[in-house]
Amino acid sequence: MINTFLLGVVTVMGVSWAAPLRDDYPKNPNIDVLNYVFRLTLSDDTDGIRGEATVDARFRTDGITEITLDLINASPQRDGRGMTVVGVVSETDPVDFQHQNDRLRITLQAPSAAGQRTRFTITYRGVPATGLIIGNNKYGDRTFFSDNWPNKARHWLPTVDHPYDKATCEFIVTAPDHYQVISNGLKLEETDMPDAMRLTHWRQSVPIASWLYVLGVARFAVQYVGEYQGRSIQTWVYPQDREAGFHDFAVPTKQVLEFYGDMIGPFAYEKLANVQSNSVRGGMEAATAIFYGDASVTGRRDRRWRNVIVHEVAHQWFGNSVTEYDWDDVWLSEGFATYFTLLFIEHAYGRDEFVEGLNSSRRRVLAFYERDPGYRIVHDNLTDMSLVTSSQTYQKGGWALHMLRGLMGDDVFWNGIREYYRLYRDGNATTADFRRAMEEASGRDLSQFFEQWLYQGGFLKLAGGWRYDVRAARLEVELTQVQNDGTAFQMPIQLGIYHEEPTRPRLEVLEVNGVNNQFTIPLEREPVDVVLDPYTWVLMEAEFARR
């Protein structure tokens, strides 16, 4: 997912903030949903949908007596919008259920046994209040596009609507035959039916979280751009934008897939489609079918939308394949995608643009800090989903990874990233899991680094300077932490000592520890200049000059 926090992109995803969205789902790791099959019927005559969801689940313990799913009730408070459950059957037998307070509770016919599988089918109908956006696109054409972030799948799909429970899925959609249908995974069937209807069947064979389930039903122009390791790369845009859209999305998708595949690990999915949509305004990383806003097609391949593509493709590794276990750790999606966008920029477009991106991120972090100095990247039992992300989640999270790379060194950092991906591919991870992977790769205790940059607010503000003592032949440096928010950082910072221009500096590492820091460096001759953090490794604001 991308919004205004990323690299100067001024678009935002289509999330309605009219009322707080709560993530109060009581986790039940004793039940594991393995697969959903969603059979949906859509119409041009009404915004109502008819649905049938078959849920395949496995019990991990004995004695489970009910299964609870998220599904928003139809209610007067939503002007009648929401879903009404018609019935639930287990295999062929009706079972008791309660659909209240946006939760569907299904009573089991007998208490579970560990390892037991169960399958039940829910029949329901209604008009989605959100989650599936039904309306006209910018050309006035009727469309149906999903928008499940962060917990809105429950508005139209009965699911465990939380990132910890990942499952495979199938969408079997019957819609008027002038529409095409795009969804996760591979298309298994497209058949014209009676009464000018068409059935389309997509299957996602790799488990993903519910916010990544995707559906787009519209008139499309479709281009099969090429392949990456046998996986199809596709573009789906409105027919009116065919020429411009095919031009815009032809690059850099394959190059990005190649870079991340080489540097991180194998791409997990069956295809990658870039899809123009009116349900988001920026980008949404739905697995195998990324949605981009109406305005994403310009015909110019401009830099901001190029960066959106890179960001959303990065999510296919981090967020989609390795998914945070809990919303508290959402930075494992957004901070990672933000920094890995910059890493591709460094690889493909050069260090200057990379540093420009870092500096842009820094400015956003500082601006947010002035408004909320105590904000921490890893949430503490987040309940209000309107607060799930901020510029700190994206930009400060990305900076935390950059500083970790500087601390560990390139080779060790990438070794840790690859092992983290290998361990948690197609599963879930926490910040603690990531820390352990990086500690094992580096052989270092990273607890203090993670604590100060991820579990507390603030950032490093320094004031200081340098002077050369000719008689003692030494460089004297003073640095004072001047942030007034109660935080104090311990951080190694490079010092660049320049004797001639242009030249590469002599590098010394200053271990900043505590409020007042003084350093003495033997130096036979007076430097031309001394620069703090010459290669932009540390998130800080510093006033540093000769004294």
Side-chain angles (χ1 to χ4, degrees):
M1 183 265 288
I2 194 171
N3 55 23
T4 52
F5 307 139
L6 176 66
L7 300 176
V9 176
V10 296
T11 49
V12 295
M13 57 165 292
V15 175
S16 171
W17 304 113
L21 302 170
R22 297 186 65 84
D23 176 31
D24 56 0
Y25 193 92
K27 299 180 186 66
N28 187 351
N30 296 322
I31 298 173
D32 179 22
V33 177
L34 304 175
N35 185 66
Y36 298 97
V37 179
F38 302 112
R39 298 172 181 85
L40 300 170
T41 301
L42 309 177
S43 170
D44 281 338
D45 299 327
T46 174
D47 288 348
I49 66 173
R50 288 185 287 125
E52 186 180 278
T54 299
V55 182
D56 185 358
R58 178 178 60 215
F59 300 103
R60 291 189 169 127
T61 62
D62 298 331
I64 304 297
T65 59
E66 72 172 16
I67 290 180
T68 303
L69 301 176
D70 296 298
L71 186 65
I72 297 295
N73 290 89
S75 69
Q77 292 78 16
R78 300 185 182 96
D79 298 323
R81 293 176 179 265
M83 297 295 117
T84 298
V85 176
V86 177
V88 181
V89 299
S90 176
E91 304 302 338
T92 58
D93 298 325
V95 295
D96 293 334
F97 68 91
Q98 289 185 331
H99 187 204
Q100 298 175 339
N101 301 319
D102 302 329
R103 309 294 288 283
L104 175 60
R105 300 183 183 276
I106 300 168
T107 302
L108 302 179
Q109 294 172 312
S112 70
Q116 175 188 345
R117 292 273 291 271
T118 186
R119 182 181 290 108
F120 48 89
T121 298
I122 304 143
T123 303
Y124 64 102
R125 62 175 181 263
V127 178
T130 187
L132 182 66
I133 310 303
I134 303 173
N136 293 344
N137 67 13
K138 66 179 182 179
Y139 293 111
D141 294 333
R142 182 172 172 83
T143 61
F144 308 74
F145 283 109
S146 59
D147 176 26
N148 289 341
W149 171 266
N151 62 341
K152 294 189 293 186
R154 66 189 71 186
H155 282 272
W156 62 295
L157 301 173
T159 59
V160 177
D161 194 14
H162 198 283
Y164 83 89
D165 195 73
K166 301 175 78 170
T168 57
C169 66
E170 300 178 48
F171 280 87
I172 304 172
V173 179
T174 302
D177 62 8
H178 50 263
Y179 295 122
Q180 294 144 285
V181 176
I182 178 70
S183 186
N184 308 98
L186 295 178
K187 184 162 62 175
L188 302 185
E189 181 185 357
E190 187 176 73
T191 301
D192 287 343
M193 309 293 284
D195 302 320
M197 301 292 281
R198 176 177 294 148
L199 181 147
T200 310
H201 183 181
W202 288 86
R203 181 172 66 195
Q204 167 72 19
S205 64
V206 181
I208 54 176
S210 55
W211 99 77
L212 300 169
Y213 296 166
V214 67
L215 181 65
V217 181
R219 293 181 175 91
F220 285 111
V222 182
Q223 183 184 39
Y224 296 87
V225 181
E227 291 187 349
Y228 168 68
Q229 295 184 345
R231 280 78 161 230
S232 176
I233 301 172
Q234 305 168 13
T235 297
W236 296 59
V237 295
Y238 306 147
Q240 299 92 331
D241 287 333
R242 174 183 176 275
E243 184 175 347
F246 288 177
H247 175 75
D248 284 349
F249 287 117
V251 296
T253 303
K254 185 173 183 179
Q255 294 84 352
V256 180
L257 288 167
E258 290 171 341
F259 175 71
Y260 293 144
D262 290 344
M263 298 301 292
I264 303 167
F267 177 61
Y269 303 118
E270 304 99 326
K271 74 166 190 305
L272 190 66
N274 293 314
V275 184
Q276 187 180 16
S277 158
N278 67 343
S279 62
V280 301
R281 293 195 293 273
M284 167 46 61
E285 65 270 15
T288 81
I290 300 169
F291 277 12
Y292 304 87
D294 262 349
S296 61
V297 175
T298 67
R300 300 188 300 271
R301 291 183 181 169
D302 62 68
R303 187 166 79 165
R304 74 174 189 177
W305 283 108
R306 178 205 73 190
N307 291 346
V308 175
I309 293 170
V310 179
H311 180 99
E312 305 307 338
V313 175
H315 269 307
Q316 306 301 306
W317 277 261
F318 299 114
N320 296 10
S321 183
V322 180
T323 305
E324 59 271 26
Y325 181 79
D326 188 276
W327 290 120
D328 285 353
D329 286 322
V330 70
W331 85 281
L332 295 174
S333 290
E334 299 304 345
F336 272 64
T338 299
Y339 188 56
F340 278 79
T341 299
L342 287 173
L343 288 171
F344 176 78
I345 287 171
E346 183 180 35
H347 162 76
Y349 309 116
R351 180 166 176 81
D352 287 348
E353 190 171 337
F354 171 73
V355 173
E356 178 187 339
L358 285 173
N359 287 332
S360 175
S361 289
R362 187 207 311 267
R363 289 191 293 271
R364 292 172 183 274
V365 171
L366 303 192
F368 188 97
Y369 171 82
E370 296 301 325
R371 301 190 302 271
D372 188 354
Y375 186 95
R376 49 183 281 179
I377 295 176
V378 177
H379 298 302
D380 185 13
N381 295 318
L382 179 73
T383 57
D384 184 350
M385 291 301 290
S386 70
L387 304 177
V388 68
T389 59
S390 72
S391 62
Q392 306 303 65
T393 314
Y394 290 75
Q395 309 298 348
K396 191 178 179 185
W399 260 100
L401 289 172
H402 181 60
M403 290 187 288
L404 190 59
R405 176 187 168 200
L407 195 67
M408 297 171 66
D410 262 11
D411 290 344
V412 176
F413 173 81
W414 281 110
N415 287 340
I417 291 294
R418 283 189 282 270
E419 180 64 5
Y420 171 65
Y421 181 71
R422 187 192 69 80
L423 288 170
Y424 300 105
R425 174 180 168 180
D426 302 330
N428 294 90
T430 65
T431 299
D433 293 328
F434 175 60
R435 178 188 138 194
R436 280 193 297 271
M438 302 311 274
E439 285 182 334
E440 289 178 9
S442 64
R444 308 176 61 156
D445 180 357
L446 297 171
S447 57
Q448 184 179 71
F449 176 90
F450 274 70
E451 179 64 31
Q452 66 185 11
W453 291 112
L454 296 168
Y455 291 95
Q456 73 173 26
F459 72 98
L460 186 57
K461 286 188 175 183
L462 292 172
W466 64 276
R467 64 181 292 272
Y468 184 70
D469 186 332
V470 176
R471 296 179 60 184
R474 67 185 186 187
L475 181 69
E476 298 173 351
V477 177
E478 181 179 338
L479 291 173
T480 303
Q481 296 193 44
V482 296
Q483 62 268 20
N484 57 7
D485 55 13
T487 62
F489 291 83
Q490 295 186 24
M491 194 68 193
I493 303 176
Q494 287 182 341
L495 188 75
I497 303 169
Y498 293 82
H499 282 104
E500 296 175 357
E501 291 289 353
T503 186
R504 291 181 63 86
R506 167 181 166 180
L507 292 176
E508 298 285 343
V509 176
L510 308 180
E511 294 287 345
V512 173
N513 186 2
V515 175
N516 298 307
N517 301 268
Q518 294 182 337
F519 307 93
T520 300
I521 302 168
L523 201 61
E524 292 184 359
R525 57 195 177 103
E526 186 172 357
V528 173
D529 197 9
V530 178
V531 177
L532 193 64
D533 191 27
Y535 293 120
T536 318
W537 281 111
V538 180
L539 177 61
M540 64 180 180
E541 189 176 57
E543 295 181 2
F544 185 77
R546 185 169 192 164
R547 292 179 171 176

